[in-house]
Amino acid sequence: MKLALALGGGAGLGWAHIGVLRALLERGVVIDAVSGTSIGALAAVCAASDRIDALEELARSTNRRQVMRFIDIDPRKGSVLGGRTVRNRLRQHFGQEQLQDLRLPVAVVAADLVSGGEISITNGSVVDAVRASIAIPGVFPPLRRDNMVLIDGGVLSPVPVRAVRALSAAPVLAVNLQGDYAARAAATLPAGQRLLTPFRVGRAGLSLLLTQLARQGLVIDPPDVEIAPLVGHIDVRNFTRADELIRLGRAAVAADWARIAALG
């Protein structure tokens, strides 16, 4: 069975993509092409370059101390964090590799602050493409390319189905990390919680916004099958729960395997 994959954004929840990829490959699925937004972009280029093992090793070894090493304050770049550690880590793994030279066709999705458009990057530096796609506005520095100012693709395309359809005629499996809203709402606003702080309400509102943005995008560009790992109870800012997230990614494939297998 050949599938094209659209891997959605979700910050720390992105480790679930590893479990999805592992489960599909173990079931004999051939990945024909892959697209990714934000953390999904990192998973996409790792899938396209046979680096899933390296991604899993990074995910499972990430702890709070390592996360702190990524904090390098530099407000001169239009962001809270300078992104130097992230850039250096990407260069360690990908060096000067180009997207068009990877084993699989891959699209890394970003958003352009100048035109307001969705940008599907399919050629050029792997490092620069991923840096653009993970550039959360105000958190990581945007990437200037030609006349564009590129930021996190999740602003426009949380699950980049359109980008991978442009690369492949295979059925599209979309992995939506924003789909478990009920659990996310319960975690953000626990039942019986009477104290509604501005921070708590703001987080809940942002979660709802991201969920609906993903849902509307999937209505406009529907995949052949969508799976939504049950990860809503985990804070998107938490990059230290890889073991659980990988397991939940595997579980999502198992739960929807009948629908996925029907595509073949």
Side-chain angles (χ1 to χ4, degrees):
M1 182 195 304
K2 284 188 177 181
L3 294 178
L5 305 182
L7 306 181
L13 304 180
W15 300 143
H17 288 313
I18 299 169
V20 170
L21 292 167
R22 293 289 195 200
L24 292 173
L25 294 173
E26 288 166 3
R27 286 168 169 78
V29 172
V30 175
I31 301 173
D32 195 58
V34 60
S35 65
T37 287
S38 196
I39 190 70
L42 177 59
V45 297
C46 287
S49 61
D50 288 326
R51 286 187 171 92
I52 299 176
D53 287 347
L55 181 62
E56 183 168 352
E57 180 181 354
L58 170 65
R60 291 190 186 275
S61 65
T62 298
N63 54 38
R64 294 184 183 278
R65 179 177 297 179
Q66 289 176 321
V67 170
M68 292 298 293
R69 293 175 182 171
F70 285 87
I71 298 178
D72 53 340
I73 307 299
D74 192 350
R76 298 171 299 174
K77 295 185 176 181
S79 60
V80 174
L81 305 181
R84 292 184 297 272
T85 306
V86 173
R87 181 179 65 246
N88 292 340
R89 182 65 66 88
L90 287 170
R91 285 177 176 169
Q92 286 176 13
H93 288 282
F94 293 101
Q96 301 301 314
E97 289 187 58
Q98 305 290 297
L99 290 170
Q100 65 271 23
D101 297 329
L102 300 184
R103 184 179 64 85
L104 296 177
V106 60
V108 171
V109 175
D112 177 22
L113 284 177
V114 176
S115 68
E118 174 185 328
I119 306 298
S120 179
I121 307 172
T122 57
N123 59 70
S125 165
V126 172
V127 172
D128 285 350
V130 174
R131 283 180 55 211
S133 190
I134 66 173
I136 301 170
V139 177
F140 286 114
L143 181 79
R144 293 185 179 273
R145 177 170 172 167
D146 301 326
N147 295 319
M148 299 180 291
V149 178
L150 300 178
I151 61 168
D152 192 318
V155 170
L156 293 177
S157 183
V159 191
V161 173
R162 183 187 314 164
V164 80
R165 284 209 188 277
L167 299 178
S168 171
V172 173
L173 171 65
V175 184
N176 179 12
L177 299 181
Q178 309 295 337
D180 188 20
Y181 181 73
R184 183 161 300 162
T188 307
L189 297 173
Q193 178 70 45
R194 300 186 63 85
L195 179 60
L196 297 179
T197 65
F199 178 74
R200 187 181 294 275
V201 173
R203 279 184 57 202
L206 181 59
S207 295
L208 179 58
L209 174 65
L210 292 173
T211 298
Q212 290 303 313
L213 180 61
R215 176 53 46 212
Q216 291 177 24
L218 290 168
V219 169
I220 294 170
D221 294 302
D224 294 279
V225 169
E226 172 199 347
I227 63 174
L230 300 178
V231 296
H233 62 289
I234 300 175
D235 193 322
V236 298
R237 301 166 300 171
N238 190 341
F239 285 83
T240 67
R241 295 178 67 171
D243 292 349
E244 181 180 3
L245 286 163
I246 292 171
R247 177 178 58 78
L248 292 171
R250 284 180 174 275
V253 172
D256 282 312
W257 179 244
R259 289 196 303 139
I260 298 169
L263 297 176

